[in-house]
Amino acid sequence: MDDDADPTPSPDGRRGRATMKDVARRAGVGLSTVSRVVSGGGGVSRDKVRAVERAVRELEFSRNEFARTLRTGTAATIGMLVTNISDPFFAAVIDAVEEQVRARDQLLLVASSSDDADEGIRVLRRLTRSRVDGLIVVVPETADLSFLQRQQDAGMPVVFVDQPSGGVSGDLVLSDNEGGMAEAVRHLAAAGHRRIACIAHVGGRYTSERRQDGYFQGLTAAGLAHDAALVVEVEDSVSACAAALAELTGQPDPATAVVTTNSRTTKAVLEALRLTRQRLSLVSFDDFDLAVLMDPPVTAIAQDPVAIGHAAADLLFDRIAGLGGAVRRIVIGTRLIERGSGEQPPR
């Protein structure tokens, strides 16, 4: 059957995921027979095994279920998709979610899709066919996840992390992107800088744009003029960042400080500064390993991935427990970590 096929109608006409009762009814056998076939038990005639297997395929009922699933209809399993499983931020979010899942004696299935929208959709379809009880999703950029609405309508909740999904509604947990970046700008302005640039990443438009909004909010709060020439969007490469720095420092009224919009961009900027022998005051949005070992140590706006992971898991388990109501949105605050790179006075 097609992956977008509607869930099986229940006796009262509502749509829902296929159950053992649906399989038994379609195959014309008893529940105990379905249980033995699905769990790999014996004592079932070949004709009945074939009938059950045919019903399983037609109803898209998963055969790889735990004993608890057979007893209660729930899988005791949560699915999670992230765009980059090796990214320290997402790794910390995963650890925090897993902590909450283990505390409830359940299992977390984690998959990574990079930023490939098609791969993200493929992985999510497989997770939903695994009959997970709920999903926590970091949305791949440009992915249309509207197909998940049917799963939500069938009783499987979805919580989004880091950015919302344009194709489907769902609870959302994210960092205070605007507030954190505004604080970075205010910090540099308090050190005496009046020409503060922003080097922004181009991958992950949602967070980049929110942080650029925060940059302009910080300028306004500090009484500084907005100058579009001080904002450069780059790929996260050293060469691109070196070109951006040359552009920003080559102006008649050059930048004396810079904010970056994620840790990958920060690392590329630091290498570009080293290669070009430039020294600019710097504040990174997002902390990163080895920031304290740089010369000078890098001042950063730190996100709280543990709080984000805990909040996402709590929202999901509330929905699994039956909580209804409007979509909820939780914004987790950031904090400024002063280390030295943002305190250099303007030249």
Side-chain angles (χ1 to χ4, degrees):
M1 295 180 66
D2 187 271
D3 287 336
D4 285 329
D6 287 342
T8 305
S10 60
D12 61 5
R14 294 179 299 170
R15 295 284 176 178
R17 288 183 288 175
T19 67
M20 283 180 57
K21 288 183 180 179
D22 296 322
V23 174
R25 184 162 51 256
R26 178 69 66 93
V29 300
L31 278 174
S32 61
T33 299
V34 175
S35 177
R36 287 197 297 272
V37 173
V38 171
S39 61
V44 181
S45 70
R46 182 172 299 178
D47 288 343
K48 289 184 178 180
V49 169
R50 289 173 176 168
V52 171
E53 289 179 339
R54 183 168 56 251
V56 164
R57 288 194 302 272
E58 292 172 351
L59 297 176
E60 295 186 302
F61 182 86
S62 173
R63 300 177 64 177
N64 300 316
E65 299 192 290
F66 303 98
R68 177 172 175 173
T69 309
L70 298 174
R71 295 194 306 270
T72 69
T74 64
T77 303
I78 302 302
M80 185 171 183
L81 175 72
V82 297
T83 51
N84 186 351
I85 202 168
S86 64
D87 185 292
F89 173 78
F90 290 126
V93 172
I94 292 169
D95 285 346
V97 169
E98 189 171 33
E99 179 184 339
Q100 299 296 86
V101 171
R102 282 200 307 265
R104 292 169 171 84
D105 194 26
Q106 300 200 28
L107 178 68
L108 179 67
L109 297 180
V110 181
S112 178
S113 67
S114 71
D115 289 318
D116 186 324
D118 292 337
E119 176 65 8
I121 291 171
R122 186 187 71 82
V123 171
L124 284 173
R125 289 190 188 281
R126 294 196 66 177
L127 284 173
T128 59
R129 290 199 297 270
S130 297
R131 297 179 62 83
V132 294
D133 294 327
L135 286 171
I136 296 175
V137 178
V138 177
V139 181
E141 195 169 27
T142 75
D144 179 4
L145 304 187
S146 56
F147 71 94
L148 286 178
Q149 192 62 56
R150 291 180 178 178
Q151 299 294 333
Q152 289 203 86
D153 293 343
M156 186 189 70
V158 180
V159 173
F160 296 103
V161 170
D162 200 46
Q163 64 179 22
S165 169
V168 61
S169 62
D171 293 334
L172 171 66
V173 183
L174 69 166
S175 291
D176 184 4
N177 295 296
E178 294 91 339
M181 186 58 82
E183 185 175 14
V185 173
R186 290 195 300 270
H187 178 73
L188 289 167
H193 294 279
R194 293 296 175 264
R195 296 287 288 172
I196 303 169
C198 176
I199 298 182
H201 62 284
V202 294
R205 296 300 309 173
Y206 179 84
T207 55
S208 181
E209 290 173 359
R210 300 291 85 70
R211 292 167 194 174
Q212 289 180 58
D213 289 344
Y215 162 78
F216 287 114
Q217 292 171 19
L219 292 178
T220 299
L224 300 178
H226 295 194
D227 185 351
L230 290 177
V231 179
V232 182
E233 295 186 344
V234 298
E235 298 286 349
D236 298 323
S237 71
V238 175
S239 60
C241 289
L245 289 170
E247 177 182 341
L248 294 169
T249 58
Q251 299 176 13
D253 190 4
T256 60
V258 62
V259 293
T260 52
T261 56
N262 70 11
S263 60
R264 294 188 301 275
T265 302
T266 302
K267 293 172 186 177
V269 166
L270 287 168
E271 179 63 10
L273 286 170
R274 186 187 68 83
L275 292 174
T276 59
R277 299 182 182 278
Q278 297 186 76
R279 292 185 71 86
L280 291 175
S281 293
L282 170 68
V283 178
S284 167
F285 193 105
D286 210 4
D287 203 8
F288 60 97
D289 292 342
L290 306 181
V292 295
L293 300 181
M294 305 304 296
D295 182 21
V298 178
T299 295
I301 298 296
Q303 301 185 81
D304 192 343
V306 174
I308 289 172
H310 286 171
D314 288 342
L315 287 176
L316 190 68
F317 283 115
D318 283 348
R319 294 300 192 188
I320 291 172
L323 179 68
V327 169
R328 297 171 296 174
R329 181 176 185 269
I330 294 178
V331 178
I332 303 296
T334 59
R335 64 188 178 95
L336 175 71
I337 303 177
E338 299 182 32
R339 295 198 180 104
S341 67
E343 288 71 53
Q344 301 176 61
R347 296 188 301 271

